Amino acid sequence: MRVLRRGDAGPDVAEIRSILAGMDLLPPVTGTDDYDTFDVAVEHAVRAFQQRRGLMTDGIVGPATFQALKGASYHLGSRPLSYMIASPVHGDDVFTLQERLTELGFDAGRPDGYFGPATERALKTFQRDMRLTPDGMCGPATIRELHRLSSPRARGGRPVFLREQEQVRQAGPRLRGKRIVIDPGHGGDDLGVVAGGLREADIAWDLARRLEGRMKATGMEALISRGPNHSPTELERAKFANDAGADLFLSLHSDKNPSPRAQGVASFHFGNGNGTTSTVGELLAGFIQREVAARTGLQDNRTHYKSWDIFTRTRCPAVRIEIGYLTNPDDARKLGDPAFRDIVAEGILIAVKRLYLLGEGDQPTGTFTFADVLAHELAKAE
C-alpha cells in the first residue's frame, strides 16, 4: 500500500475513513463528495487511533498503522481464524481469542493479535476439552463454546505476564548464565539518523559492543543481533532473539526531531492500549530510564508502551531505548564522546542487574557501579 497523509484522496482513504467512523473516531458516513479525502479531521482521528494502539503518533497511515486499522475492523466471530505459516492472521478478533483462551486456563502465549503456533496449540487443547474437532480452526462452533464459557474475569492476559515475573524470580539475582540479545538499530546501508557528523547506526553499534563487553565480564551470554554491515528487519531481529532463547531483548537507538530543542532519553516496552502490557518489560524500561537519565544528565522523557513488531514478535521481555537526539547539539556532543557511551552502557547493565535483584540488596538510582555488580556476582558464587 502507499503511505497516506493529509491531502491524499482515493478509495483507500475512503476505506480508512470508514474504519475510523466504525470506531467512533469520525462521524458516520454521510455520502458527501469529499469522503475519500484525507483531511484534517482524518489526521486527528488517525493520531487518536495511533495513540490508543501504542503506535507512532504521526497522523500518517503507513504499513504498521494500516495493518492495525484493518485488524481493528474485525471482531471475534466475524471471520474464521486459523494458523497460517506464510502470512499469520492478525486482528482484534485474534487478540480477543487469545485473551479468552488465557482466561480459561489455556496458554495462548502473549496476547499480541497474531495467530501463531502457541495460539493454535491452545485452541486445539480447548477444542479437545470441549469435545469439538481439534482442527485449530476458530469457527462458529468454537465461538459458541467460547461465548458460553465467558464470564467476568481479570482482563488483559495477565497470566502470561505473571509467568514472565515468575521466570525472573526463579532465575535468581546472579547475572551469570542470563542470555541477553543486544540489538543495535539500523546498520548496513540503513544509517538511521544522520546529523552533526554522527550516524545513528554507528552510535548504536559502538554502544552495543561496550554493553556486550560489560555483560560478558559478569558471566552473562551477550549476543548482538546484527553485524556492523547488516540491517535485519524487525521480524528478523525478533526471530534471532527467539531462536537464541533470549531472556531479555535490548534495542538501542537515537532519535531526531525537526526542532533542535528536542532532547533526552526515552524507553519503550510492549503494550497495546487494551490494558495489556509486559510487566517485566515495563519494569526493566523503568530501571533503564531512571539509571541512564540519572547518570548522563539527559532529559528524562519517561517510559512508554508501544505495539511495535519488535515487541509483539519477541517471546521474551523487550525494551527499546532512544538515547538522545542527534538533531540536538548538546545530546549530539555527548553521544559523540566514547566516555559518555561508557556511562550509558554501565547504566543499562545496572538496570538489568536491578531487575534480577528484585529489591534484594538494591541501591538508590545512579549509585550502583560496575564494580558493585562484579562484587555481588563474586559473593553469590561463593
Side-chain angles (χ1 to χ4, degrees):
M1 60 155 290
R2 65 187 178 113
V3 174
L4 301 172
R5 50 174 51 86
R6 191 198 303 182
D8 289 336
D12 41 6
V13 176
E15 180 184 12
I16 290 168
R17 293 191 72 135
S18 177
I19 295 172
L20 292 169
M23 300 176 67
D24 295 325
L25 292 173
L26 280 176
V29 180
T30 61
T32 56
D33 294 334
D34 62 348
Y35 190 72
D36 63 351
T37 301
F38 198 126
D39 56 19
V40 174
V42 174
E43 181 178 305
H44 289 168
V46 169
R47 286 181 182 273
F49 174 79
Q50 290 170 326
Q51 186 173 37
R52 180 185 298 178
R53 292 304 177 101
L55 298 165
M56 195 68 73
T57 310
D58 55 10
I60 297 172
V61 179
T65 297
F66 181 75
Q67 182 186 48
L69 281 165
K70 287 289 288 184
S73 66
Y74 297 111
H75 63 272
L76 188 59
S78 62
R79 59 176 175 169
L81 297 174
S82 63
Y83 175 46
M84 296 182 179
I85 297 176
S87 181
V89 178
H90 172 265
D92 283 15
D93 49 350
V94 179
F95 178 84
T96 302
L97 172 63
Q98 291 168 328
E99 280 203 316
R100 294 272 177 86
L101 290 170
T102 299
E103 290 160 4
L104 291 169
F106 300 90
D107 184 7
R110 177 179 295 178
D112 57 10
Y114 287 91
F115 198 118
T119 304
E120 182 184 47
R121 285 193 297 270
L123 180 59
K124 285 182 176 180
T125 303
F126 171 79
Q127 289 172 326
R128 277 194 295 269
D129 287 359
M130 297 299 108
R131 294 189 170 86
L132 300 171
T133 303
D135 56 6
M137 171 74 73
C138 186
T142 301
I143 295 295
R144 281 195 297 272
E145 286 300 303
L146 287 168
H147 286 319
R148 183 178 67 83
L149 294 173
S150 64
S151 61
R153 288 181 173 87
R155 304 295 295 176
R158 290 182 178 85
V160 176
F161 302 112
L162 289 174
R163 284 193 287 271
E164 279 189 356
Q165 288 178 281
E166 182 60 17
Q167 288 171 356
V168 169
R169 189 190 68 79
Q170 291 185 356
R174 292 194 67 196
L175 295 181
R176 178 169 295 278
K178 306 286 194 301
R179 183 170 296 173
I180 312 298
V181 168
I182 307 168
D183 176 47
H186 307 282
D189 294 332
D190 179 9
L191 302 178
V193 181
V194 178
L198 297 175
R199 305 189 303 188
E200 181 185 2
D202 297 339
I203 295 291
W205 173 255
D206 179 78
L207 181 56
R209 293 302 303 271
R210 292 170 191 272
L211 183 55
E212 176 194 32
R214 284 163 174 76
M215 287 185 164
K216 287 185 174 180
T218 69
M220 302 175 82
E221 295 183 51
L223 307 173
I224 298 182
S225 65
R226 68 165 176 89
N229 301 313
H230 184 213
S231 180
T233 65
E234 287 205 343
L235 294 183
E236 289 170 337
R237 295 170 195 259
K239 185 177 185 300
F240 178 88
N242 293 339
D243 290 347
D247 296 302
L248 298 173
F249 181 92
L250 304 173
S251 189
L252 309 176
H253 289 259
S254 294
D255 214 334
K256 67 176 180 179
N257 194 283
S259 170
R261 294 186 178 183
Q263 59 183 309
V265 57
S267 300
F268 302 86
H269 61 88
F270 171 72
N272 60 12
N274 287 327
T276 299
T277 184
S278 169
T279 311
V280 173
E282 184 176 7
L283 186 62
L284 179 57
F287 283 144
I288 291 175
Q289 185 65 24
R290 291 191 293 274
E291 288 292 340
V292 172
R295 293 165 187 271
T296 63
L298 289 172
Q299 179 173 295
D300 185 351
N301 293 335
R302 304 183 302 281
T303 62
H304 309 269
Y305 69 81
K306 293 293 178 184
S307 58
W308 296 329
D309 281 346
I310 205 63
F311 296 145
T312 61
R313 308 311 288 273
T314 47
R315 290 197 289 266
C316 63
V319 171
R320 171 167 165 166
I321 313 110
E322 294 279 356
I323 307 155
Y325 283 72
L326 293 182
T327 48
N328 176 271
D330 190 46
D331 282 5
R333 176 183 57 78
K334 290 178 178 177
L335 284 166
D337 182 357
F340 178 83
R341 298 197 292 272
D342 277 335
I343 295 171
V344 173
E346 180 166 313
I348 295 173
L349 174 68
I350 298 302
V352 172
K353 179 63 174 177
R354 291 186 64 193
L355 173 71
Y356 285 106
L357 281 173
L358 292 174
E360 175 194 335
D362 205 354
Q363 299 182 28
T365 300
T367 62
F368 214 16
T369 67
F370 183 49
D372 291 332
V373 172
L374 294 178
H376 188 273
E377 292 293 309
L378 182 61
K380 288 293 181 181
E382 296 175 349

